[in-house]
Amino acid sequence: MRIAVCDDVRGFRNQVKKLIHSYNDKYVVVEYSDGNELVQTKEPFDLIFLDIDMPGMDGLSAAKELRKREDAVLIAFLTSHDEMVRQVFKVDAFRFLGKPVNPKELYEVLHSAESELQKTERILIKNRGEQWEIPLNTIDYLEAYGDGTYIYDSKGKVYESSEQLKNWENRLQGKYFFRIHKSFLVALSRVEGVVNEEAILFGRTERLKIARRKVVEFKEAHWDYIDKHAKVI
């Protein structure tokens, strides 16, 4: 996920950036010191943390300019003034966070943003004259074969891609996929369990081999995903 943090206080921007990276260190975070600087950029973002009260162009004005471009980016407003809450929803605010920022509330915003983006994120496959568009949240795992890749979804379909698995690994970086073996890249959301050196996926009978050197790291990544995303009773 690409995230912008726009606030006129450098120390606060650094704090938010550290919290974001403590949640997922693969996220790209870009800092802006005022609304005009943010509006002028042509960089694409999935989520923007935007301070309302800034000198020059304030957060609300910046958000209005972004919306004029029909920008569908998710905007989470930051402010220490609770009375501003009603105004932020006039520009289709995704979330509202008070200052100082509560880490748990910020993590909840990141989790909600991931869920929102997964509804629309797709991968496009072109191979041998065929073209397929696959929702990212339906993919179970990817398997290397020769110079290409098989992609398995939760409905039992198998797609063939001419791209190598290492290329898919780079493309899916930060999307909660883990390379468990030279042959397999799995979606952490689809992992039901880890037994010895095998990964078990929801609804699948096959077990995927985990490279011995990857077992500990994979278990930690799986547990971290559960801790952040699952509701375990």
Side-chain angles (χ1 to χ4, degrees), residues 69-86:
R69 303 201 303 242
E70 297 184 359
D71 197 332
V73 65
L74 303 175
I75 300 177
F77 282 100
L78 304 163
T79 185
S80 55
H81 305 293
D82 292 343
E83 66 274 11
M84 300 295 292
V85 175
R86 289 186 179 182

Side-chain angles (χ1 to χ4, degrees), residues 140-145 149-150 152 165-166 169 177-187 197-199 201 206-211 214 218:
D140 283 357
Y141 70 100
L142 299 86
E143 179 183 15
Y145 77 90
T149 304
Y150 291 123
Y152 300 80
L165 187 61
K166 65 179 181 181
E169 183 180 13
F177 281 78
F178 191 96
R179 184 80 174 265
I180 63 172
H181 187 275
K182 65 180 181 180
S183 298
F184 301 117
L185 179 67
V186 303
E197 295 178 4
E198 294 180 322
L201 306 187
E206 69 269 31
R207 295 188 176 194
L208 305 183
K209 178 69 175 177
I210 307 170
K214 291 276 193 174
F218 176 54

Side-chain angles (χ1 to χ4, degrees), residues 1 49 57 61 64 122 127 145 153 165 184-185 222 224:
M1 184 154 55
F49 287 98
M57 180 181 286
S61 299
K64 289 176 182 177
R122 303 282 193 274
N127 188 56
Y145 77 90
D153 77 3
L165 187 61
F184 301 117
L185 179 67
H222 181 227
D224 184 59

Side-chain angles (χ1 to χ4, degrees), residues 23 70 89 101 148 202 214-215:
Y23 179 86
E70 297 184 359
F89 289 102
V101 170
F202 288 106
K214 291 276 193 174
V215 173

Side-chain angles (χ1 to χ4, degrees), residues 126-138:
K126 296 180 179 180
N127 188 56
R128 299 178 182 176
E130 296 184 358
Q131 181 169 306
W132 298 93
E133 186 178 313
I134 310 172
L136 191 63
N137 62 356
T138 67

Side-chain angles (χ1 to χ4, degrees), residues 67-227:
R67 293 301 184 221
K68 284 180 182 178
R69 303 201 303 242
E70 297 184 359
D71 197 332
V73 65
L74 303 175
I75 300 177
F77 282 100
L78 304 163
T79 185
S80 55
H81 305 293
D82 292 343
E83 66 274 11
M84 300 295 292
V85 175
R86 289 186 179 182
Q87 294 188 48
V88 303
F89 289 102
K90 293 180 181 179
V91 287
D92 193 22
F94 178 65
R95 287 291 188 278
F96 173 87
L97 286 174
K99 284 185 170 184
V101 170
N102 181 308
K104 289 185 178 180
E105 292 180 356
L106 185 139
Y107 295 156
E108 190 277 329
V109 171
L110 294 172
H111 173 51
S112 296
E114 287 175 343
S115 299
E116 192 68 24
L117 292 169
Q118 284 178 355
K119 295 176 183 178
T120 57
E121 285 186 310
R122 303 282 193 274
I123 62 171
L124 184 64
I125 300 174
K126 296 180 179 180
N127 188 56
R128 299 178 182 176
E130 296 184 358
Q131 181 169 306
W132 298 93
E133 186 178 313
I134 310 172
L136 191 63
N137 62 356
T138 67
I139 297 174
D140 283 357
Y141 70 100
L142 299 86
E143 179 183 15
Y145 77 90
D147 290 330
T149 304
Y150 291 123
I151 299 173
Y152 300 80
D153 77 3
S154 56
K155 297 179 181 179
K157 293 184 179 180
V158 183
Y159 302 89
E160 187 175 345
S161 166
S162 58
E163 284 194 62
Q164 293 183 342
L165 187 61
K166 65 179 181 181
N167 293 337
W168 282 111
E169 183 180 13
N170 290 333
R171 287 176 62 179
L172 297 175
Q173 186 176 13
K175 306 292 185 182
Y176 293 104
F177 281 78
F178 191 96
R179 184 80 174 265
I180 63 172
H181 187 275
K182 65 180 181 180
S183 298
F184 301 117
L185 179 67
V186 303
L188 290 172
S189 63
R190 301 296 300 158
V191 177
E192 181 178 9
V194 181
V195 178
N196 297 322
E197 295 178 4
E198 294 180 322
I200 302 170
L201 306 187
F202 288 106
R204 308 199 74 97
T205 57
E206 69 269 31
R207 295 188 176 194
L208 305 183
K209 178 69 175 177
I210 307 170
R212 184 168 298 178
R213 62 185 177 83
K214 291 276 193 174
V215 173
V216 174
E217 186 182 356
F218 176 54
K219 287 181 177 179
E220 290 176 350
H222 181 227
W223 180 257
D224 184 59
Y225 180 85
I226 293 172
D227 185 50

